[in-house]
Amino acid sequence: MPLPDLPNLDAAQFERPSAERFAEHLAGVGRSTHAPRILLLYGSLRERSYSKLLTLEAERLLQAMGAETRVFDPTGLPLPDGAPDTHPKVAELREAAAWSEGMVWTSPERHGAMTGILKAQIDWIPLSAGAVRPTQGKTLAVMEVSGGSQSFNAVNQMRILGRWMRMLTIPNQSSVAKAFLEFDEAGRMKPSAYYERVVDVMEELVKFTLLTRDVSPYLVDRYSERRESAEALSARVNQRSI
């Protein structure tokens, strides 16, 4: 039966979000007790890669905050569609993406954009694997490094990608200007406002991951997909009865 003043809605698939539904979902799955699982990707193959150094600094902070981490090395990853998805580096990346509950993407800004190296990693992560969306509902933090003045082109692009992949991109972000001045000879980040922002971003990522990981299936559940699934099920049932 149509809802009042909403005749276009399928009442059977319409749902009013509520705290009670969150509680019902949690009661069914329970609260996770393991450490948050965070995958970190970076976008440069240079020997002294500032995006890698920033990623490793972020990893140290995440571990100090109680997270379990993996850093993916993009060396040897083929271009998207340039090799079968059984390629060892592709399989490694996809397994790590499936394992993770949150991600950190860090890219240099090159020609006013994120690098192809980082984009290739993201492109190798499928939007769907069977009935599972590997990135749906996972948290995401984005960071960038640049050789000149501070810019936000790369992080803005990564936010668009995160939204497209139905990830929960946290509000905070980091953009490190003149990155060559921000790391010492040992590759450690120097004390600065930039460093403190990285701490803020990682702290926020862990908090959002803890808050959402057990309810992410409910958070990303959508009316249109429920309706589409119901129609597909009805078609299959009716076909069998003919």
Side-chain angles (χ1 to χ4, degrees):
M1 178 181 294
L3 294 168
D5 299 322
L6 296 170
N8 294 333
L9 279 180
D10 180 349
Q13 303 305 324
F14 179 75
E15 183 178 292
R16 181 176 180 178
S18 67
E20 289 74 20
R21 288 288 288 117
F22 271 98
E24 289 173 9
H25 181 84
L26 273 179
V29 300
R31 281 286 186 186
S32 297
T33 57
H34 62 267
R37 300 168 180 159
I38 308 297
L39 172 63
L40 299 95
L41 309 179
Y42 61 91
S44 173
L45 299 179
R46 290 180 177 178
E47 183 176 351
R48 185 172 170 84
S49 162
Y50 294 109
S51 65
K52 180 178 180 180
L53 294 180
L54 184 58
T55 295
L56 295 177
E57 205 67 53
E59 181 185 34
R60 295 182 188 99
L61 290 166
L62 288 168
Q63 291 176 349
M65 294 173 188
E68 182 180 357
T69 61
R70 294 187 191 179
V71 175
F72 179 75
D73 180 359
T75 303
L77 182 72
L79 288 174
D81 303 323
D85 57 17
T86 53
H87 187 285
K89 290 297 292 188
V90 176
E92 177 190 348
L93 174 59
R94 290 186 170 190
E95 188 279 327
W99 164 87
S100 70
E101 297 168 327
M103 295 189 194
V104 179
W105 296 348
T106 305
S107 179
E109 182 171 315
R110 185 172 295 169
H111 301 310
M114 64 189 294
T115 64
I117 294 167
L118 185 62
K119 182 61 163 58
Q121 295 172 73
I122 297 168
D123 284 347
W124 270 120
I125 300 172
L127 286 174
S128 63
V132 178
R133 294 176 184 263
T135 54
Q136 176 173 279
K138 297 180 189 291
T139 53
L140 173 65
V142 294
M143 303 194 295
E144 73 168 82
V145 294
S146 56
S149 58
Q150 191 173 45
S151 176
F152 301 94
N153 292 318
V155 290
N156 287 339
Q157 283 189 321
M158 289 186 281
R159 284 188 175 278
I160 292 172
L161 287 170
R163 182 175 72 237
W164 185 259
M165 298 172 79
R166 297 187 67 185
M167 302 182 77
L168 306 173
T169 309
I170 67 171
N172 215 337
Q173 62 186 25
S174 169
S175 174
V176 179
K178 297 182 179 178
F180 60 92
L181 297 176
E182 298 302 322
F183 294 86
D184 62 24
E185 289 301 314
R188 297 302 304 272
M189 196 170 185
K190 300 174 184 177
S192 69
Y194 290 134
Y195 176 78
E196 292 184 359
R197 173 59 67 89
V198 177
V199 179
D200 290 347
V201 173
M202 294 306 109
E203 182 179 30
E204 189 170 286
L205 176 64
V206 172
K207 288 178 179 177
F208 270 75
T209 305
L210 290 170
L211 182 66
T212 63
R213 64 179 178 177
D214 295 316
V215 294
S216 62
Y218 178 59
L219 290 174
V220 298
D221 181 48
R222 298 193 291 191
Y223 165 79
S224 60
E225 292 182 347
R226 292 194 302 271
R227 190 168 184 276
E228 182 180 5
S229 297
E231 287 183 349
L233 176 61
S234 177
R236 286 198 303 271
V237 171
N238 291 333
Q239 186 177 28
R240 290 170 184 170
S241 64
I242 294 175

